[in-house]
Amino acid sequence: VRNHWSFAGGDVGPWRVVSLDAVSGAVLPPVARLAVLEGGAAPAGAAWVLRGFTSNVRYASGAELAALAARQAAPGRAEARCAALIPIRKSAAWWALGQDARRAIFEETSHHTAIGLEYLPPVARRLHHSRDLGEPFDFLTWFDYAPAHAAAFEELVRRLRASAEWAYVEREVDIRLERDG
Amino acid sequence: VRNHWSFAGGDVGPWRVVSLDAVSGAVLPPVARLAVLEGGAAPAGAAWVLRGFTSNVRYASGAELAALAARQAAPGRAEARCAALIPIRKSAAWWALGQDARRAIFEETSHHTAIGLEYLPPVARRLHHSRDLGEPFDFLTWFDYAPAHAAAFEELVRRLRASAEWAYVEREVDIRLERDG
C-alpha cells in the first residue's frame, strides 16, 4: 500500500545499527542491520518488523505547514549517512484527550513543530503512524542527517524529551544508524 | 487487527441491501447482502470489500467528547433493524489544509459533531478511517437505528450534506440496509 513503510531489524539492510536503547519501557531485541522498505513489504528472516504509514498532519496549522514547506527536507539525501529510528508509544491518557487538549500540549506548551523546524533542513524527518495498525508503537519517526549535524540532532532529541508532551510517552526506543557513504 | 472492520458486499451477510446509490462520483457494483466483520477478515466471494479502522477523534474537543459520551449509543442494539453504510472520499484540497482550517470547516462552520449529537441516542454511528489503508474511500460511516427513527436519520443525512464541509466530498455512496427482527 502506498504510504506504508516497514522497518525490519535483522542481518540485512543498508543501515548498520550503532546503538539500540530503551528510553522508556521495554527495549527491542538487538540487531545488526536495518532495512527500510516502502509499500509494507518486509524481508524474510527479520528479527522484528515495525510498520507505519505517512498521513495528513494531525496538529499543524496552515501557517505551520507553510513554514515547514519553506524549509522542508526529505530523507534520503546522499550526504545523510546518519539516521535514527525512534519508535514511541503514548499513554491511554493521551489518546483519551480531545483534539484541543492534544494540540495545546503538542504545540502551545511543547512547541513540537516549532522545535523540529529549527533543525530543518539539516535534520530531515518522516513521521509514520503505527497505532491504527495494531502495532506495539504509536509512531515511528525516521530522521537522517549528515555526520556534521550529529550534535544538532542530539540537541533536537534532548529538547523534545524535555517537553510536557513527553510525560505522555510510555515507551520509547532509540535506534541509531549509519551507512557507508 | 483490533479496531479494523470489513464491509463485504455480495450474496451473504445479515443485512439486506435496500438501496445502493451514488450521491457523488462513481457508484459501487450492486449487491444483495452486506456482511460486517470485525478484525479485518472478509468472506470469500464478496463482490467488493471496504476496509477501515476506528481511531481517536481528530476534531472533537474535550467538551464535545463529554457531550457525546453523555448521549452515546453503540451500534448493534436489537431494535436497530435499519442501517446505512455511507463511504465518502474527500478532495485533495481538503487533505492539504492545516488542522486548524479543517477543524473550522468541520465544526465551527458545518457543526458536524453538534448535528450528529442531536440525533443521539436514536441514531448510533461508528466512523471508520480508510484513507490510510490505500482504500478507494477516506471514511466509512456506519449508522443504525430503529425503523421508527428512519425520518430522523434522513434529516441528519440531509443536514450534513447541506453543510460547507460537504463541498470537499468528491465521492459518496449511500447504502441502505435492513435486517430481520
PDB file of all heavy atoms in Angstrom, chain A residues 27-54:
ATOM      1  N   VAL A  27      12.774  -2.501  25.700  1.00  0.00           N
ATOM      2  CA  VAL A  27      13.632  -2.318  24.528  1.00  0.00           C
ATOM      3  C   VAL A  27      13.187  -3.299  23.424  1.00  0.00           C
ATOM      4  O   VAL A  27      12.300  -4.139  23.641  1.00  0.00           O
ATOM      5  CB  VAL A  27      15.115  -2.522  24.931  1.00  0.00           C
ATOM      6  CG1 VAL A  27      15.433  -3.994  25.173  1.00  0.00           C
ATOM      7  CG2 VAL A  27      16.060  -1.881  23.913  1.00  0.00           C
ATOM      8  N   LEU A  28      13.763  -3.208  22.251  1.00  0.00           N
ATOM      9  CA  LEU A  28      13.574  -4.200  21.190  1.00  0.00           C
ATOM     10  C   LEU A  28      14.784  -5.125  21.178  1.00  0.00           C
ATOM     11  O   LEU A  28      15.865  -4.741  21.631  1.00  0.00           O
ATOM     12  CB  LEU A  28      13.480  -3.506  19.826  1.00  0.00           C
ATOM     13  CG  LEU A  28      12.183  -2.748  19.526  1.00  0.00           C
ATOM     14  CD1 LEU A  28      12.377  -1.831  18.326  1.00  0.00           C
ATOM     15  CD2 LEU A  28      11.045  -3.735  19.255  1.00  0.00           C
ATOM     16  N   PRO A  29      14.635  -6.356  20.640  1.00  0.00           N
ATOM     17  CA  PRO A  29      15.803  -7.243  20.540  1.00  0.00           C
ATOM     18  C   PRO A  29      16.909  -6.590  19.707  1.00  0.00           C
ATOM     19  O   PRO A  29      16.627  -5.929  18.708  1.00  0.00           O
ATOM     20  CB  PRO A  29      15.236  -8.476  19.830  1.00  0.00           C
ATOM     21  CG  PRO A  29      13.771  -8.462  20.135  1.00  0.00           C
ATOM     22  CD  PRO A  29      13.396  -7.008  20.198  1.00  0.00           C
ATOM     23  N   PRO A  30      18.162  -6.778  20.114  1.00  0.00           N
ATOM     24  CA  PRO A  30      19.278  -6.188  19.376  1.00  0.00           C
ATOM     25  C   PRO A  30      19.406  -6.792  17.979  1.00  0.00           C
ATOM     26  O   PRO A  30      19.134  -7.978  17.791  1.00  0.00           O
ATOM     27  CB  PRO A  30      20.492  -6.511  20.237  1.00  0.00           C
ATOM     28  CG  PRO A  30      20.078  -7.662  21.079  1.00  0.00           C
ATOM     29  CD  PRO A  30      18.594  -7.547  21.277  1.00  0.00           C
ATOM     30  N   VAL A  31      19.790  -5.967  17.031  1.00  0.00           N
ATOM     31  CA  VAL A  31      20.001  -6.414  15.644  1.00  0.00           C
ATOM     32  C   VAL A  31      21.225  -5.699  15.094  1.00  0.00           C
ATOM     33  O   VAL A  31      21.646  -4.661  15.627  1.00  0.00           O
ATOM     34  CB  VAL A  31      18.780  -6.123  14.745  1.00  0.00           C
ATOM     35  CG1 VAL A  31      17.601  -7.009  15.128  1.00  0.00           C
ATOM     36  CG2 VAL A  31      18.385  -4.645  14.804  1.00  0.00           C
ATOM     37  N   ALA A  32      21.777  -6.237  13.993  1.00  0.00           N
ATOM     38  CA  ALA A  32      22.992  -5.668  13.403  1.00  0.00           C
ATOM     39  C   ALA A  32      22.685  -4.658  12.299  1.00  0.00           C
ATOM     40  O   ALA A  32      23.435  -3.713  12.094  1.00  0.00           O
ATOM     41  CB  ALA A  32      23.863  -6.795  12.835  1.00  0.00           C
ATOM     42  N   ARG A  33      21.579  -4.890  11.562  1.00  0.00           N
ATOM     43  CA  ARG A  33      21.275  -4.052  10.398  1.00  0.00           C
ATOM     44  C   ARG A  33      19.794  -3.706  10.385  1.00  0.00           C
ATOM     45  O   ARG A  33      18.964  -4.403  10.983  1.00  0.00           O
ATOM     46  CB  ARG A  33      21.586  -4.798   9.078  1.00  0.00           C
ATOM     47  CG  ARG A  33      22.890  -5.540   8.982  1.00  0.00           C
ATOM     48  CD  ARG A  33      24.100  -4.680   8.745  1.00  0.00           C
ATOM     49  NE  ARG A  33      24.040  -3.816   7.579  1.00  0.00           N
ATOM     50  CZ  ARG A  33      25.078  -3.052   7.198  1.00  0.00           C
ATOM     51  NH1 ARG A  33      26.239  -3.083   7.862  1.00  0.00           N
ATOM     52  NH2 ARG A  33      24.957  -2.265   6.153  1.00  0.00           N
ATOM     53  N   LEU A  34      19.479  -2.647   9.643  1.00  0.00           N
ATOM     54  CA  LEU A  34      18.077  -2.252   9.467  1.00  0.00           C
ATOM     55  C   LEU A  34      17.796  -2.030   7.986  1.00  0.00           C
ATOM     56  O   LEU A  34      18.567  -1.363   7.285  1.00  0.00           O
ATOM     57  CB  LEU A  34      17.770  -0.971  10.243  1.00  0.00           C
ATOM     58  CG  LEU A  34      16.294  -0.536  10.216  1.00  0.00           C
ATOM     59  CD1 LEU A  34      15.501  -1.260  11.327  1.00  0.00           C
ATOM     60  CD2 LEU A  34      16.130   0.969  10.388  1.00  0.00           C
ATOM     61  N   ALA A  35      16.673  -2.567   7.525  1.00  0.00           N
ATOM     62  CA  ALA A  35      16.191  -2.316   6.162  1.00  0.00           C
ATOM     63  C   ALA A  35      14.915  -1.486   6.244  1.00  0.00           C
ATOM     64  O   ALA A  35      14.075  -1.720   7.102  1.00  0.00           O
ATOM     65  CB  ALA A  35      15.907  -3.638   5.444  1.00  0.00           C
ATOM     66  N   VAL A  36      14.820  -0.491   5.380  1.00  0.00           N
ATOM     67  CA  VAL A  36      13.651   0.391   5.329  1.00  0.00           C
ATOM     68  C   VAL A  36      12.958   0.146   3.998  1.00  0.00           C
ATOM     69  O   VAL A  36      13.563   0.350   2.945  1.00  0.00           O
ATOM     70  CB  VAL A  36      14.081   1.867   5.445  1.00  0.00           C
ATOM     71  CG1 VAL A  36      12.868   2.781   5.420  1.00  0.00           C
ATOM     72  CG2 VAL A  36      14.919   2.093   6.709  1.00  0.00           C
ATOM     73  N   LEU A  37      11.710  -0.304   4.036  1.00  0.00           N
ATOM     74  CA  LEU A  37      11.022  -0.706   2.804  1.00  0.00           C
ATOM     75  C   LEU A  37       9.713   0.039   2.635  1.00  0.00           C
ATOM     76  O   LEU A  37       8.868   0.047   3.539  1.00  0.00           O
ATOM     77  CB  LEU A  37      10.757  -2.213   2.824  1.00  0.00           C
ATOM     78  CG  LEU A  37      12.040  -3.043   2.869  1.00  0.00           C
ATOM     79  CD1 LEU A  37      12.213  -3.652   4.263  1.00  0.00           C
ATOM     80  CD2 LEU A  37      11.993  -4.127   1.822  1.00  0.00           C
ATOM     81  N   GLU A  38       9.532   0.630   1.467  1.00  0.00           N
ATOM     82  CA  GLU A  38       8.281   1.311   1.176  1.00  0.00           C
ATOM     83  C   GLU A  38       7.281   0.306   0.613  1.00  0.00           C
ATOM     84  O   GLU A  38       7.650  -0.591  -0.134  1.00  0.00           O
ATOM     85  CB  GLU A  38       8.536   2.431   0.158  1.00  0.00           C
ATOM     86  CG  GLU A  38       7.359   3.376   0.042  1.00  0.00           C
ATOM     87  CD  GLU A  38       7.679   4.616  -0.784  1.00  0.00           C
ATOM     88  OE1 GLU A  38       8.815   4.738  -1.269  1.00  0.00           O
ATOM     89  OE2 GLU A  38       6.755   5.455  -0.940  1.00  0.00           O
ATOM     90  N   GLY A  39       6.014   0.461   1.004  1.00  0.00           N
ATOM     91  CA  GLY A  39       4.962  -0.386   0.443  1.00  0.00           C
ATOM     92  C   GLY A  39       4.491  -1.459   1.397  1.00  0.00           C
ATOM     93  O   GLY A  39       3.526  -2.149   1.118  1.00  0.00           O
ATOM     94  N   GLY A  40       5.179  -1.623   2.515  1.00  0.00           N
ATOM     95  CA  GLY A  40       4.682  -2.555   3.523  1.00  0.00           C
ATOM     96  C   GLY A  40       5.292  -3.943   3.474  1.00  0.00           C
ATOM     97  O   GLY A  40       4.987  -4.778   4.306  1.00  0.00           O
ATOM     98  N   ALA A  41       6.180  -4.193   2.504  1.00  0.00           N
ATOM     99  CA  ALA A  41       6.846  -5.496   2.460  1.00  0.00           C
ATOM    100  C   ALA A  41       7.884  -5.591   3.585  1.00  0.00           C
ATOM    101  O   ALA A  41       8.232  -4.603   4.204  1.00  0.00           O
ATOM    102  CB  ALA A  41       7.536  -5.675   1.109  1.00  0.00           C
ATOM    103  N   ALA A  42       8.368  -6.792   3.828  1.00  0.00           N
ATOM    104  CA  ALA A  42       9.427  -6.988   4.815  1.00  0.00           C
ATOM    105  C   ALA A  42      10.269  -8.175   4.385  1.00  0.00           C
ATOM    106  O   ALA A  42       9.734  -9.147   3.850  1.00  0.00           O
ATOM    107  CB  ALA A  42       8.840  -7.237   6.196  1.00  0.00           C
ATOM    108  N   PRO A  43      11.598  -8.092   4.592  1.00  0.00           N
ATOM    109  CA  PRO A  43      12.459  -9.196   4.189  1.00  0.00           C
ATOM    110  C   PRO A  43      12.215 -10.424   5.067  1.00  0.00           C
ATOM    111  O   PRO A  43      11.904 -10.294   6.244  1.00  0.00           O
ATOM    112  CB  PRO A  43      13.873  -8.646   4.416  1.00  0.00           C
ATOM    113  CG  PRO A  43      13.717  -7.531   5.393  1.00  0.00           C
ATOM    114  CD  PRO A  43      12.327  -6.990   5.223  1.00  0.00           C
ATOM    115  N   ALA A  44      12.348 -11.599   4.468  1.00  0.00           N
ATOM    116  CA  ALA A  44      12.221 -12.834   5.241  1.00  0.00           C
ATOM    117  C   ALA A  44      13.338 -12.898   6.282  1.00  0.00           C
ATOM    118  O   ALA A  44      14.442 -12.417   6.037  1.00  0.00           O
ATOM    119  CB  ALA A  44      12.311 -14.040   4.299  1.00  0.00           C
ATOM    120  N   GLY A  45      13.029 -13.456   7.431  1.00  0.00           N
ATOM    121  CA  GLY A  45      14.060 -13.697   8.427  1.00  0.00           C
ATOM    122  C   GLY A  45      14.400 -12.507   9.302  1.00  0.00           C
ATOM    123  O   GLY A  45      15.370 -12.550  10.062  1.00  0.00           O
ATOM    124  N   ALA A  46      13.621 -11.436   9.230  1.00  0.00           N
ATOM    125  CA  ALA A  46      13.885 -10.293  10.105  1.00  0.00           C
ATOM    126  C   ALA A  46      13.619 -10.675  11.558  1.00  0.00           C
ATOM    127  O   ALA A  46      12.728 -11.481  11.844  1.00  0.00           O
ATOM    128  CB  ALA A  46      12.998  -9.113   9.700  1.00  0.00           C
ATOM    129  N   ALA A  47      14.410 -10.106  12.474  1.00  0.00           N
ATOM    130  CA  ALA A  47      14.183 -10.360  13.899  1.00  0.00           C
ATOM    131  C   ALA A  47      12.918  -9.645  14.367  1.00  0.00           C
ATOM    132  O   ALA A  47      12.188 -10.143  15.219  1.00  0.00           O
ATOM    133  CB  ALA A  47      15.394  -9.880  14.713  1.00  0.00           C
ATOM    134  N   TRP A  48      12.685  -8.470  13.829  1.00  0.00           N
ATOM    135  CA  TRP A  48      11.428  -7.744  14.105  1.00  0.00           C
ATOM    136  C   TRP A  48      11.132  -6.802  12.946  1.00  0.00           C
ATOM    137  O   TRP A  48      12.026  -6.406  12.212  1.00  0.00           O
ATOM    138  CB  TRP A  48      11.468  -6.995  15.442  1.00  0.00           C
ATOM    139  CG  TRP A  48      12.715  -6.210  15.749  1.00  0.00           C
ATOM    140  CD1 TRP A  48      13.732  -6.573  16.600  1.00  0.00           C
ATOM    141  CD2 TRP A  48      13.085  -4.907  15.229  1.00  0.00           C
ATOM    142  NE1 TRP A  48      14.704  -5.597  16.631  1.00  0.00           N
ATOM    143  CE2 TRP A  48      14.333  -4.568  15.808  1.00  0.00           C
ATOM    144  CE3 TRP A  48      12.490  -4.015  14.347  1.00  0.00           C
ATOM    145  CZ2 TRP A  48      15.000  -3.367  15.524  1.00  0.00           C
ATOM    146  CZ3 TRP A  48      13.140  -2.815  14.051  1.00  0.00           C
ATOM    147  CH2 TRP A  48      14.382  -2.510  14.652  1.00  0.00           C
ATOM    148  N   VAL A  49       9.861  -6.500  12.767  1.00  0.00           N
ATOM    149  CA  VAL A  49       9.419  -5.566  11.730  1.00  0.00           C
ATOM    150  C   VAL A  49       8.440  -4.588  12.367  1.00  0.00           C
ATOM    151  O   VAL A  49       7.481  -5.001  13.018  1.00  0.00           O
ATOM    152  CB  VAL A  49       8.720  -6.292  10.561  1.00  0.00           C
ATOM    153  CG1 VAL A  49       8.308  -5.289   9.479  1.00  0.00           C
ATOM    154  CG2 VAL A  49       9.615  -7.375   9.973  1.00  0.00           C
ATOM    155  N   LEU A  50       8.715  -3.310  12.201  1.00  0.00           N
ATOM    156  CA  LEU A  50       7.784  -2.272  12.649  1.00  0.00           C
ATOM    157  C   LEU A  50       7.167  -1.636  11.409  1.00  0.00           C
ATOM    158  O   LEU A  50       7.863  -1.370  10.433  1.00  0.00           O
ATOM    159  CB  LEU A  50       8.529  -1.208  13.475  1.00  0.00           C
ATOM    160  CG  LEU A  50       9.267  -1.728  14.705  1.00  0.00           C
ATOM    161  CD1 LEU A  50      10.044  -0.579  15.371  1.00  0.00           C
ATOM    162  CD2 LEU A  50       8.301  -2.355  15.702  1.00  0.00           C
ATOM    163  N   ARG A  51       5.853  -1.398  11.465  1.00  0.00           N
ATOM    164  CA  ARG A  51       5.139  -0.870  10.301  1.00  0.00           C
ATOM    165  C   ARG A  51       4.427   0.424  10.648  1.00  0.00           C
ATOM    166  O   ARG A  51       3.946   0.600  11.771  1.00  0.00           O
ATOM    167  CB  ARG A  51       4.087  -1.887   9.823  1.00  0.00           C
ATOM    168  CG  ARG A  51       4.685  -3.215   9.389  1.00  0.00           C
ATOM    169  CD  ARG A  51       3.595  -4.267   9.180  1.00  0.00           C
ATOM    170  NE  ARG A  51       4.134  -5.617   9.220  1.00  0.00           N
ATOM    171  CZ  ARG A  51       4.680  -6.239   8.171  1.00  0.00           C
ATOM    172  NH1 ARG A  51       4.731  -5.636   7.006  1.00  0.00           N
ATOM    173  NH2 ARG A  51       5.179  -7.458   8.290  1.00  0.00           N
ATOM    174  N   GLY A  52       4.316   1.299   9.648  1.00  0.00           N
ATOM    175  CA  GLY A  52       3.582   2.546   9.852  1.00  0.00           C
ATOM    176  C   GLY A  52       3.269   3.183   8.517  1.00  0.00           C
ATOM    177  O   GLY A  52       3.760   2.750   7.473  1.00  0.00           O
ATOM    178  N   PHE A  53       2.442   4.216   8.553  1.00  0.00           N
ATOM    179  CA  PHE A  53       2.085   4.924   7.319  1.00  0.00           C
ATOM    180  C   PHE A  53       2.220   6.427   7.518  1.00  0.00           C
ATOM    181  O   PHE A  53       1.976   6.931   8.602  1.00  0.00           O
ATOM    182  CB  PHE A  53       0.666   4.576   6.850  1.00  0.00           C
ATOM    183  CG  PHE A  53      -0.420   4.758   7.888  1.00  0.00           C
ATOM    184  CD1 PHE A  53      -0.924   6.025   8.183  1.00  0.00           C
ATOM    185  CD2 PHE A  53      -0.938   3.665   8.566  1.00  0.00           C
ATOM    186  CE1 PHE A  53      -1.926   6.186   9.134  1.00  0.00           C
ATOM    187  CE2 PHE A  53      -1.940   3.828   9.536  1.00  0.00           C
ATOM    188  CZ  PHE A  53      -2.426   5.087   9.811  1.00  0.00           C
ATOM    189  N   THR A  54       2.631   7.106   6.462  1.00  0.00           N
ATOM    190  CA  THR A  54       2.596   8.565   6.469  1.00  0.00           C
ATOM    191  C   THR A  54       1.143   8.987   6.224  1.00  0.00           C
ATOM    192  O   THR A  54       0.349   8.252   5.634  1.00  0.00           O
ATOM    193  CB  THR A  54       3.510   9.138   5.381  1.00  0.00           C
ATOM    194  OG1 THR A  54       3.074   8.663   4.107  1.00  0.00           O
ATOM    195  CG2 THR A  54       4.961   8.710   5.607  1.00  0.00           C
TER     196      THR A  54
END
